[in-house]
Amino acid sequence: PNLSLPGDFVGLDRADIFSLGATAFELARGAPLPSHGDEYQALRRGKLPALHGFSVSFQQMVAGMMREDPTARPTARALLKSQALAEAERAEEDKPKPGGLFGA
């Protein structure tokens, strides 16, 4: 039995998705998330500013992860099938592979 978290665990996975989205957003913007104020409230409502230099699909994925309604957030399984991750995988596959110990 879990003794550290009392109460109902329904939707806990969606809270994890929000946290993952918030972390991705914070890393992408290169600055800490606001801890209070209007910008904080907007983020809590799922209203994210544009992340310049990032694909539309990545921004849509992060925004979906941070939706205010937990039931509207994607599941981990859906994220693994997302367009943003597929694009990142293709980009990684297109990178030149190192050729041996000295790159030959």
Side-chain angles (χ1 to χ4, degrees):
N2 189 328
L3 302 176
S4 62
L5 293 173
D8 184 5
F9 300 117
V10 173
L12 191 57
D13 58 331
R14 300 302 173 101
D16 290 342
I17 295 296
F18 181 91
S19 295
L20 180 60
T23 300
F25 180 76
E26 184 174 37
L27 290 169
R29 77 184 227 148
L33 294 176
S35 59
H36 61 282
D38 292 341
E39 189 179 7
Y40 170 81
Q41 291 302 325
L43 290 176
R44 291 293 301 154
R45 289 191 307 273
K47 299 186 186 317
L48 282 62
L51 294 168
H52 302 288
F54 289 87
S55 69
V56 171
S57 62
F58 175 80
Q59 293 184 62
Q60 289 172 339
M61 180 184 72
V62 171
M65 294 167 73
M66 294 180 68
R67 286 188 181 119
E68 184 175 17
D69 177 4
T71 63
R73 296 175 195 150
T75 62
R77 185 177 311 277
L79 287 173
L80 289 173
K81 296 177 182 180
S82 71
Q83 180 179 348
L85 292 185
E87 289 171 359
E89 186 175 6
R90 280 192 299 276
E92 188 65 28
E93 290 171 354
D94 290 343
K95 284 184 179 178
K97 307 290 185 255
L101 183 59
F102 298 105

